[in-house]
Amino acid sequence: MSLSLIRTVLLTAFSFCSAARSLSTSVHLQAQGNVSGVMLTCEKWKMPIPFSQYNSKSKKTLAKPGVKNIVLVDGVRTPFLQSGTTYADLMPHDLARAALQGLLNRTGLPKDAVDYIVYGTVIQEVKTSNVAREAALGAGFSDKTPAHTVTMACISSNQAMTTAVGLIAAGQCDAVVAGGVEFMSDVPIRHSRKMRKTMLSLNKAKTLGARLSLLGSIRLAHLSPELPAVAEFSTAETMGHSADRLAAAFGVSRLEQDEFALRSHTLAKKAQDGGMLSDVISFKVPGRDIVSKDNGIRPATMEQLAKLKPAFIKPHGTVTAANSSFLTDGASAVLIMSEEKALAMGYKPKAYLRDFVYVSQDPKDQLLLGPTYATPKVLEKSGLTLNDIDVFEFHEAFAGQIMANLKAMESDWFAQTYMGRKTKVGAPPMEKFNTWGGSLSLGHPFAATGCRLVTTVAHRLQKEGGQYGLVAACAAGGQGHAMVIEAYPQ
Amino acid sequence: IKGDVAVVRMNDPNSRVNTLSTQMQREMTEVMDEIWGNNAVQSVVLISSKPGSFIAGADLNMIQACTTAEEVTGLSQEGQRMFEKVEKSPKPIVAAINGSCLGGGLELGLPSAFDMILTGRSIRADKAKKMGLVHQLVDTLGPGLKSPEERTIEYLEEVAVEAARGLAKKQIPLTKEKGLMQSNYFLAEIQDYVMSYPFVRQQIYNTVQNKVMKQTKGLYPAPLKIIECVKAGVEQGPTAGYLVESQHFGKLAMTPESKALIGLYHGQVTCKKNRFGTPEKEVKTLAILGAGLMGAGIAQVSVDKGFHTILKDTTLEGLSRGEQQVYKGLNDKTKKKSITSFERDSFLSNLTGQLDYNGFNKADMIIEAVFEDLSIKHKVLKEVEAMIPPHCIFATNTSALPIKDIAAVSKRPEKVIGMHYFSPVDKMQLLEIITTDKTSKDTTASAVAVGLKQGKVIIVVGDGPGFYTTRCLAPMLAEAVRVLQEGVDPKKLDGLTTGFGFPVGAATLADEVGIDVAAHVAEDLGKAFGSRFGGGNVEVLKTMVEKGFKGRKSGKGCYIYQPGLKRRDVNTEALEILESYKLTSSDSDVQYRLVSRFVNEAVLCLQEGILANPVEGDIGAVFGLGFPPCLGGPFRFVDSFGADKLVEKMRKFEEVFGNQFTPCQLLLDHAKDPSKKFHK
């Protein structure tokens, strides 16, 4: 969760001029020369994938005897918009409603066919604390379909999806809708504790005199509001500050971060222009225009990026507004079913949802290292190696955080000293990594990102013809998550 | 050298920390000359290769090695020259400070053109920045591709090199933050204007001097000399100021106060080590019996060190009060921002409050802090021994009951030991550990290890009534009661004792300890040691206890205590009691009457083998009982005051009061042979 408020402002100053060519430093596009055999070439993104890899996997499939196959039928999301823009006057459940309705439209799902709805959110609107239920009712789902809300910082919708997987695996449900919403254009700002206390006592005060004396006790200082914490509760450190320290700990330079951020924006722009982001649905915002595109994708030049001052650690920090993810409004939703049910209903599923793990570490010095811890664990669980994975989708909280994770995954010393492993897991090859952009460029509505990652993996597997995909993400509280996704045979 | 920036790494191979030694000064001067001679170097970074320590200050051994004031003055002047050199450097210097930066270390850091301090936890770094001492803060790093310590220093160096480069190219301005400057500008202007009048300056010197006199009672010479140095510097210019400074520094280094304080420093370092070795089994779970003031205090200093702590009491009220005390102690720390509220909560999660013996089967050590009554202690010991595992140590917190009497009912006396904490436990540094002849060495090692982890300065003494500390204090308090009976006002008595250098006056001390406790101890020790412990009439204390004047805790003792009021009035009813036991005034030297009995008893403890060595005796007296630090402890006091002079005084008192002032054999030996000293 990165709350770099200033970024939206700063980025508007950037031109849209594309700097794609300068990217070759960070994206390695060259073909793997010695591989023979048929090449499957992704049309927009000239990336050769050796077909022979198909037969060289550690495992042919991750299906296990006696375990239900659970599938992703489809996934959608509203356009992710910088907060304070077109969605500004909505409420969180409005956005969630749009995503849910979009899912219904996309899948043609009968509204009463859903057994259960699980939805994630991080910053809670107090009026709709169970936002899942409010959105489901508003989206026209049957009022007989129960719904609950989960929260786990930036992996809230991952939690929603795995909850759905659990419900299906346990045989309690056959069709579950999971998703997440984040609405940063409006956040609950509270009165101070003292003021709240006085106001609550006021309710109980019986006589006019008692009320007046309570009112008289209000001091000017009581009127100053309490903003939602932008910091880790346990350490009082803001996430950007922690990311900057993490980057420094792993020796990630400002240049590397800016390059990665630029890569994210450039790839996102390319994916957007190339029509890859098919999970995005159009949304008619009441009183405004129809929105059908993410609005945070802004490729700039390295020079422009280099001009920015550090946003958190001054003056020598390396994390800036441009290499951090920005405050975003958005919602996402996926339809998860047992394979039998999906086939019985005539669906062509997109992917199998396979093994997943949650991890947690020190919330101070390892706040954002979730992917480093989760990746080897989930690979081990599923019996795969890093080489088996064709598609990587990692949540990009900060460019520095991604680079630090990649370095940590490449380090034997780190694996041995901090993870109790014999060897490193290895870093994902960049040509398979977040090739349609990521949270840095597409935006990061905290609780909606997880579904975007999973849906993107499914779509990329289909487009690029891979078999296995890996989702990994970090989250506030020093937690992390990873999931293995297997392409549904076409 | 990194490009155009020279990086000077300080690393004293012979020590855990860097100190300003003659060698270091010499090397520093050489390096500086080299740097100025090198045209390729545009700026300099000073950094320590030791994690957590920049320069800890001047080398004490270096000062101790000097025999004359002139020698020290010379050292000081050399140091000044080095600092001046750094200060007037034509090339910008960045001091990259990681961790402690004290005394001379700070001086080296400060004049540097651009300073930096680093430490993640400590708020002191923030404060230093606010005070304008440092310009830029660098955070500590977590694990990365190298160990956090190593990488943090590396990172600090990288940042410092960048800053140095920026300074050299004049990209980074040297001024302090503008906001601060502007808001203070007006004030500063006025200050400058006012300060230009000698009259005003004189007033300021006087005010400061009076304040110092009030706080030190004139017992510590250094602060006054510092004022003189500043005065000389302001009135006669920096050169004269430096000269006066180095001369005063030389003189001060030779004073007995300086020797006493350096001795205490070394003693404290010694008492922070475990001379009994590493215990076989590390204590992880600690069970404390009794959630009173002591029990809860012990719990407080244990939970934040990672001990899983069980706090057991017999009543819900008692337990609740004790847990609140622990919470308050930690919460006060969060208010001062020395820990975060999260750390407070996580410390508190180590605490289990309970009324039963649940979980005692997993305890590694029991610290019993129940009421000072032998039969209760026996009952508790027997009860607990039935519950605990064989390896578990039973430590008893008592201020006077002999440990062997408590251990008498134990089935495993080798596991019984005394741990005498001082109240308030979280503030008082001393822990007196008492071993009986049956206590095993491993038990002692374990108790010392626990105490050290709790952050205590530890003395290990032999068993006997009152051990060491209580035994020294008792005769002094007995004498204090006699003085009161002679008609000396409690306030006067307090003034006399603090005037000698005790931080707390004798009458106040009695109130703090508790009149009932004092009476109890006086009676017990009186029985054990006979007339030597006489002096004031024990009945005085007993009568006060009967009337409910138990000291601070009951609101009345020698003084009257009212919640919220700092001012204390003398308890006139107590005076009436004293009146009824009035003795004829002997009008002799009250200060030495009090101190000589204290010191004589301390020396006797060494003679009898209760104390293992004079160092622990000095540390125990200063850190546990508030013996004047400027005197360095009873043994150092005998050394510097002269055993013969002390014996002479005591003989005079002996004629008037009797055997309470009979000097012990060891003291007489030292009096006869002036070459005998407790401290070499």
Side-chain angles (χ1 to χ4, degrees):
Chain A
M1 195 196 310
S2 76
L3 302 179
S4 55
L5 281 159
I6 36 173
R7 185 191 189 243
T8 38
V9 185
L10 289 167
L11 272 190
T12 44
F14 291 166
S15 77
F16 273 88
C17 110
S18 165
R21 267 159 234 98
S22 69
L23 253 188
S24 51
T25 46
S26 52
V27 191
H28 307 289
L29 299 174
Q30 61 272 52
Q32 293 147 319
N34 56 353
V35 181
S36 59
V38 187
M39 296 284 188
L40 286 180
T41 307
C42 158
E43 42 179 336
K44 284 287 171 187
W45 193 242
K46 292 214 167 100
M47 191 186 337
I49 293 170
F51 190 71
S52 55
Q53 252 184 27
Y54 252 67
N55 302 321
S56 63
K57 299 284 184 201
S58 306
K59 279 183 160 183
K60 277 195 177 146
T61 172
L62 291 178
K64 290 177 203 159
V67 176
K68 263 189 193 173
N69 280 329
I70 294 163
V71 296
L72 173 78
V73 176
D74 212 339
V76 299
R77 63 179 177 93
T78 68
F80 286 175
L81 300 191
Q82 298 181 37
S83 59
T85 57
T86 316
Y87 295 150
D89 297 328
L90 297 177
M91 279 182 70
H93 73 285
D94 292 326
L95 268 180
R97 213 154 42 97
L100 288 172
Q101 260 173 336
L103 186 70
L104 289 176
N105 294 342
R106 179 73 60 92
T107 57
L109 185 72
K111 286 176 178 171
D112 54 359
V114 177
D115 299 324
Y116 204 92
I117 295 169
V118 196
Y119 224 70
T121 198
V122 177
I123 307 282
Q124 293 210 339
E125 161 64 52
V126 286
K127 284 181 187 165
T128 58
S129 62
N130 187 4
V131 70
R133 177 65 172 163
E134 312 307 337
L137 286 174
F141 280 87
S142 159
D143 59 5
K144 300 286 188 292
T145 305
H148 84 267
T149 303
V150 293
T151 189
M152 200 173 181
C154 305
I155 50 178
S156 293
S157 62
N158 304 79
Q159 184 54 256
M161 288 183 288
T162 55
T163 304
V165 168
L167 285 169
I168 297 170
Q172 301 305 306
C173 299
D174 282 319
V176 180
V177 166
V181 61
E182 207 61 49
F183 188 68
M184 298 305 292
S185 291
D186 182 31
V187 291
I189 295 171
R190 303 201 290 181
H191 272 298
S192 68
R193 181 81 188 242
K194 281 194 173 128
M195 188 66 186
R196 271 151 39 212
K197 204 170 167 186
T198 312
M199 290 162 97
L200 288 170
S201 314
L202 213 52
N203 279 341
K204 290 184 196 146
K206 291 199 173 66
T207 64
L208 183 67
R211 276 183 211 142
L212 284 176
S213 85
L214 272 171
L215 285 173
S217 74
I218 297 172
R219 299 280 167 274
L220 202 61
H222 299 184
L223 294 173
S224 65
E226 219 175 81
L227 293 164
V230 294
E232 195 70 10
F233 182 75
S234 60
T235 62
E237 187 183 22
T238 60
M239 192 172 275
H241 195 276
S242 189
D244 206 320
R245 287 196 305 117
L246 185 74
F250 281 93
V252 179
S253 69
R254 166 78 184 265
L255 185 72
E256 282 175 284
Q257 296 181 42
D258 284 352
E259 273 176 2
F260 184 84
L262 185 51
R263 169 192 194 266
S264 181
H265 279 275
T266 314
L267 292 177
K269 181 90 177 93
K270 206 157 195 168
Q272 192 179 51
D273 292 348
M276 297 295 181
L277 308 179
S278 60
D279 55 338
V280 179
I281 52 158
S282 292
F283 175 25
K284 165 73 179 81
V285 182
R288 308 250 195 156
D289 294 336
I290 292 179
V291 184
S292 48
K293 269 172 128 183
D294 303 327
N295 73 356
I297 307 172
R298 283 147 191 251
T301 62
M302 284 301 290
E303 292 69 41
Q304 285 169 314
L305 294 183
K307 272 185 206 153
L308 284 183
K309 290 215 165 91
F312 300 98
I313 296 185
K314 292 158 192 171
H316 55 273
T318 50
V319 173
T320 67
N323 59 36
S324 316
S325 54
F326 50 91
L327 292 183
T328 315
D329 300 338
S332 58
V334 294
L335 176 59
I336 299 173
M337 284 186 174
S338 63
E339 186 180 20
E340 316 166 294
K341 176 81 172 178
L343 295 177
M345 287 184 75
Y347 285 117
K348 171 85 181 156
K350 292 197 160 161
Y352 293 108
L353 303 182
R354 299 299 195 188
D355 297 289
F356 61 85
V357 294
Y358 288 94
V359 294
S360 57
Q361 330 58 245
D362 168 23
K364 179 154 180 60
D365 289 332
Q366 307 199 350
L367 181 69
L368 305 171
L369 284 179
T372 300
Y373 282 87
T375 302
K377 223 172 153 184
V378 80
L379 287 175
E380 225 155 64
K381 208 170 181 184
S382 57
L384 298 178
T385 69
L386 203 73
N387 291 332
D388 292 321
I389 305 296
D390 303 305
V391 161
F392 292 89
E393 280 294 324
F394 277 36
H395 160 51
E396 301 167 348
F398 300 87
Q401 165 259 335
I402 286 289
M403 298 312 290
N405 272 283
L406 296 183
K407 292 194 182 204
M409 291 165 86
E410 260 307 321
S411 162
D412 277 326
W413 186 83
F414 189 85
Q416 285 154 4
T417 317
Y418 292 100
M419 295 168 66
R421 301 179 60 84
K422 288 200 184 86
T423 53
K424 63 183 180 182
V425 60
M430 289 310 275
E431 67 270 17
K432 297 179 180 175
F433 189 85
N434 293 8
T435 52
W436 291 356
S439 300
L440 287 173
S441 46
L442 300 171
H444 174 39
F446 310 138
T449 292
C451 288
R452 175 185 69 75
L453 294 172
V454 168
T455 308
T456 306
V457 165
H459 287 170
R460 277 182 58 200
L461 285 173
Q462 283 189 336
K463 282 268 179 205
E464 299 167 5
Q467 188 186 3
Y468 296 121
L470 180 80
V471 161
C474 58
Q479 313 213 73
H481 166 77
M483 183 189 254
V484 173
I485 292 150
E486 183 179 347
Y488 199 83
Q490 305 207 358
Chain B
I1 292 180
K2 289 191 173 177
D4 52 359
V5 182
V7 178
V8 181
R9 294 198 185 87
M10 294 172 288
N11 192 3
D12 182 347
N14 302 321
S15 166
R16 212 163 42 83
V17 292
N18 292 322
T19 50
L20 290 172
S21 58
T22 30
Q23 193 195 351
M24 151 115 183
Q25 289 180 0
R26 198 172 52 242
E27 285 177 13
M28 183 66 102
T29 314
E30 281 168 22
V31 170
M32 283 297 156
D33 287 338
E34 197 184 314
I35 287 168
W36 286 319
N38 188 340
N39 285 333
V41 174
Q42 293 302 314
S43 52
V44 187
V45 168
L46 280 181
I47 193 165
S48 157
S49 304
K50 293 189 192 299
S53 165
F54 183 65
I55 293 175
D59 186 355
L60 275 185
N61 296 325
M62 167 179 89
I63 295 174
Q64 266 186 316
C66 298
T67 46
T68 64
E70 285 70 33
E71 256 182 273
V72 184
T73 303
L75 280 178
S76 166
Q77 279 169 337
E78 266 173 54
Q80 286 171 348
R81 273 195 290 276
M82 177 182 80
F83 292 139
E84 206 181 348
K85 203 156 187 174
V86 172
E87 189 175 354
K88 297 211 171 126
S89 163
K91 294 173 182 173
I93 299 177
V94 175
I97 302 165
N98 179 5
S100 54
C101 174
L102 301 167
L106 188 62
E107 261 190 79
L108 183 59
L110 286 189
S112 301
F114 192 97
D115 318 314
M116 206 175 289
I117 199 161
L118 171 137
T119 133
R121 283 149 289 176
S122 156
I123 299 129
R124 278 190 239 136
D126 302 11
K127 274 205 182 135
K129 173 136 192 223
K130 272 196 195 131
M131 287 160 70
L133 285 178
V134 295
H135 296 83
Q136 192 173 337
L137 297 182
V138 177
D139 294 283
T140 45
L141 299 180
L145 297 176
K146 289 176 185 169
S147 78
E149 294 78 26
E150 202 185 334
R151 177 63 194 142
T152 298
I153 293 187
E154 225 178 67
Y155 177 53
L156 175 67
E157 192 180 306
E158 286 165 18
V159 174
V161 165
E162 271 316 300
R165 201 163 277 153
L167 274 176
K169 292 181 187 152
K170 311 242 183 284
Q171 282 166 348
I172 303 175
L174 246 183
T175 48
K176 288 176 196 156
E177 276 166 43
K178 271 184 192 145
L180 196 75
M181 288 296 277
Q182 276 164 353
S183 63
N184 283 341
Y185 183 71
F186 187 60
L187 256 176
E189 192 85 316
I190 294 182
Q191 207 177 340
D192 284 351
Y193 180 71
V194 171
M195 285 295 276
S196 59
Y197 291 98
F199 166 72
V200 176
R201 289 205 297 272
Q202 194 56 48
Q203 277 301 316
I204 293 173
Y205 298 139
N206 287 344
T207 314
V208 176
Q209 188 153 354
N210 287 339
K211 202 161 181 184
V212 167
M213 282 306 285
K214 209 174 160 189
Q215 278 177 6
T216 63
K217 313 224 180 275
L219 293 167
Y220 296 84
L224 294 175
K225 297 287 183 197
I226 293 172
I227 299 174
E228 281 178 36
C229 296
V230 175
K231 201 166 159 182
V234 173
E235 305 292 336
Q236 298 156 37
T239 324
Y242 283 144
L243 186 68
V244 174
E245 184 191 42
S246 59
Q247 283 166 351
H248 280 329
F249 187 68
K251 279 185 212 148
L252 284 172
M254 290 298 124
T255 56
E257 287 84 0
S258 159
K259 295 230 158 72
L261 293 174
I262 293 178
L264 276 181
Y265 170 77
H266 285 305
Q268 197 186 358
V269 170
T270 314
C271 291
K272 284 266 184 193
K273 286 176 190 149
N274 193 345
R275 62 176 157 102
F276 297 89
T278 317
E280 279 165 31
K281 194 170 191 307
E282 195 196 339
V283 173
K284 290 192 174 124
T285 302
L286 201 62
I288 298 164
L289 299 172
L293 214 57
M294 295 305 287
I298 299 167
Q300 190 196 321
V301 299
S302 304
V303 288
D304 61 347
K305 311 301 184 314
F307 289 110
H308 171 223
T309 310
I310 299 174
L311 185 61
K312 182 199 174 297
D313 205 283
T314 46
T315 66
L316 203 58
E317 294 75 35
L319 182 63
S320 165
R321 196 216 62 82
E323 288 197 65
Q324 177 59 28
Q325 184 188 331
V326 179
Y327 174 81
K328 190 176 177 295
L330 293 173
N331 195 41
D332 287 350
K333 282 190 179 177
T334 64
K335 281 189 189 148
K336 284 187 210 137
K337 298 205 171 152
S338 64
I339 59 172
T340 66
S341 63
F342 181 76
E343 282 170 315
R344 175 198 67 203
D345 296 349
S346 100
F347 291 153
L348 279 173
S349 72
N350 284 329
L351 183 71
T352 317
Q354 58 191 49
L355 299 174
D356 54 20
Y357 284 109
N358 206 352
F360 274 55
N361 54 348
K362 292 196 185 88
D364 302 311
M365 182 184 276
I366 309 291
I367 299 179
E368 160 281 307
V370 300
F371 190 69
E372 294 258 21
D373 180 301
L374 195 59
S375 59
I376 297 180
K377 300 232 180 212
H378 278 167
K379 181 170 161 279
V380 165
L381 175 68
K382 280 193 258 180
E383 248 177 60
V384 170
E385 272 195 350
M387 304 287 175
I388 54 180
H391 74 274
C392 181
I393 291 163
F394 186 93
T396 172
N397 176 63
T398 170
S399 53
L401 294 174
I403 307 300
K404 61 175 177 294
D405 294 354
I406 297 175
V409 298
S410 170
K411 285 182 208 143
R412 37 208 271 298
E414 74 281 1
K415 293 283 183 193
V416 179
I417 195 166
M419 287 174 90
H420 177 200
Y421 290 87
F422 293 76
S423 184
V425 181
D426 59 321
K427 302 264 161 34
M428 295 295 283
Q429 283 196 60
L430 191 71
L431 169 63
E432 182 180 31
I433 289 180
I434 307 104
T435 59
T436 70
D437 44 11
K438 286 189 182 138
T439 308
S440 75
K441 188 169 165 261
D442 186 59
T443 301
T444 313
S446 203
V448 173
V450 167
L452 286 178
K453 204 168 164 190
Q454 288 169 334
K456 297 292 168 199
V457 171
I458 295 171
I459 60 170
V460 179
V461 304
D463 194 17
F467 325 124
Y468 168 61
T469 51
T470 310
R471 190 170 151 183
C472 289
L473 190 61
M476 189 172 104
L477 281 184
E479 197 58 34
V481 172
R482 172 153 60 196
V483 171
L484 288 172
Q485 279 178 278
E486 285 169 6
V488 175
D489 181 85
K491 277 195 169 157
K492 173 95 189 297
L493 175 62
D494 275 354
L496 284 170
T497 19
T498 52
F500 198 74
F502 282 90
V504 176
T508 310
L509 185 64
D511 274 3
E512 292 288 339
V513 172
I515 304 291
D516 52 339
V517 176
H520 205 76
V521 170
E523 208 175 5
D524 280 357
L525 294 188
K527 275 183 208 155
F529 294 109
S531 56
R532 195 175 78 242
F533 273 57
N537 194 334
V538 181
E539 293 305 315
V540 174
L541 296 174
K542 283 189 169 171
T543 315
M544 283 178 75
V545 174
E546 274 165 29
K547 291 230 172 178
F549 305 154
K550 292 185 188 171
R552 179 187 273 280
K553 57 189 164 189
S554 65
K556 276 182 184 175
C558 295
Y559 295 97
I560 296 173
Y561 298 90
Q562 281 160 309
L565 269 185
K566 265 210 157 171
R567 194 177 60 95
R568 306 171 306 184
D569 291 321
V570 172
N571 184 0
T572 46
E573 291 171 274
L575 289 185
E576 282 165 24
I577 297 172
L578 287 169
E579 189 67 26
S580 64
Y581 288 98
K582 188 164 174 74
L583 295 172
T584 43
S585 170
S586 48
D587 192 41
S588 57
D589 194 340
V590 171
Q591 285 178 329
Y592 281 96
R593 272 167 63 190
L594 293 169
V595 173
S596 63
R597 288 191 65 179
F598 187 118
V599 171
N600 185 48
E601 203 60 37
V603 176
L604 194 55
C605 282
L606 183 65
Q607 183 186 317
E608 289 177 3
I610 295 281
L611 276 176
N613 53 54
V615 172
E616 288 188 308
D618 281 348
I619 292 293
V622 172
F623 288 97
L625 305 172
F627 193 89
C630 55
L631 301 177
F635 293 96
R636 194 170 290 277
F637 170 69
V638 173
D639 282 355
S640 59
F641 186 76
D644 48 345
K645 273 166 75 190
L646 185 65
V647 166
E648 195 184 320
K649 272 197 185 286
M650 288 186 73
R651 289 291 185 207
K652 265 189 214 155
F653 297 143
E654 191 182 11
E655 277 169 32
V656 184
F657 300 104
N659 72 337
Q660 293 124 29
F661 286 95
T662 311
C664 69
Q665 191 54 47
L666 187 59
L667 194 57
L668 289 174
D669 292 349
H670 276 246
K672 264 185 224 138
D673 181 358
S675 69
K676 273 195 172 169
K677 295 275 183 200
F678 290 109
H679 293 285
K680 294 282 173 295

